[in-house]
Amino acid sequence: MVQSSSDSCAVRCVHPDAVEAARVALADRAERLDGARALFAALGDPTRLRLLAALQVGPLCTCDLAATLGVTESAVSHQLRGLRALRLVASDRDGKVVYHRLDDDHVAALLSVAAEHVAEVAVEDETRPADTTLAPAA
């Protein structure tokens, strides 16, 4: 089957200067955007997110984190390695016990802002009229 020109999608560029500025900004921030992607990927895992949320309360040792999350110490250690690599978690040794904490205030702020956004969206969803455009006809 041969596609006619009317079947193809035409890409428009209404504001070429703005598009070029955005492209330059993306190129300039490529490394930071890749780091942000890795950060959000880490936060996208339920176990890692729960681990960080538990550490918002305060430092916990590996075994206490495992008990809090209901997973093995091995699983906690595995997740902590990745979180330390992203500088989301820091660890301090006290004799034989290793305590873990959020790396800095930015991590706590990131988690708090995410929670605030989710709560805000939930409230907006409760007060927004239902969208019936896709609802089946009665």
Side-chain angles (χ1 to χ4, degrees):
M1 178 175 161
V2 177
Q3 278 189 331
S4 69
S5 61
S6 63
D7 291 340
S8 62
C9 186
V11 176
R12 295 180 356 159
C13 182
V14 177
H15 302 97
D17 293 340
V19 169
E20 183 57 26
R23 285 182 177 159
V24 168
L26 286 173
D28 289 347
R29 298 180 197 153
E31 192 172 314
R32 284 188 179 184
L33 288 174
D34 192 46
R37 181 209 48 79
L39 171 77
F40 286 121
L43 296 176
D45 177 85
T47 302
R48 288 190 292 261
L49 187 57
R50 290 176 58 228
L51 197 151
L52 292 170
L55 292 176
Q56 272 188 295
V57 177
L60 290 167
C61 67
T62 306
C63 59
D64 288 343
L65 277 170
T68 300
L69 273 60
V71 299
T72 65
E73 289 181 41
S74 176
V76 168
S77 293
H78 172 74
Q79 298 298 346
L80 286 169
R81 272 191 292 282
L83 294 172
R84 277 193 301 270
L86 291 169
R87 295 188 51 219
L88 296 172
V89 170
S91 302
D92 302 303
R93 182 174 293 281
D94 184 13
K96 291 184 178 185
V97 180
V98 178
Y99 291 93
H100 311 283
R101 59 181 165 74
L102 298 180
D103 189 71
D104 61 26
D105 291 339
H106 293 112
V107 179
L110 182 63
L111 295 170
S112 293
V113 168
E116 287 174 26
H117 179 71
V118 169
E120 176 183 284
V121 169
V123 168
E124 287 176 3
D125 285 347
E126 290 175 4
T127 59
R128 182 179 303 154
D131 182 5
T132 57
T133 57
L134 297 178

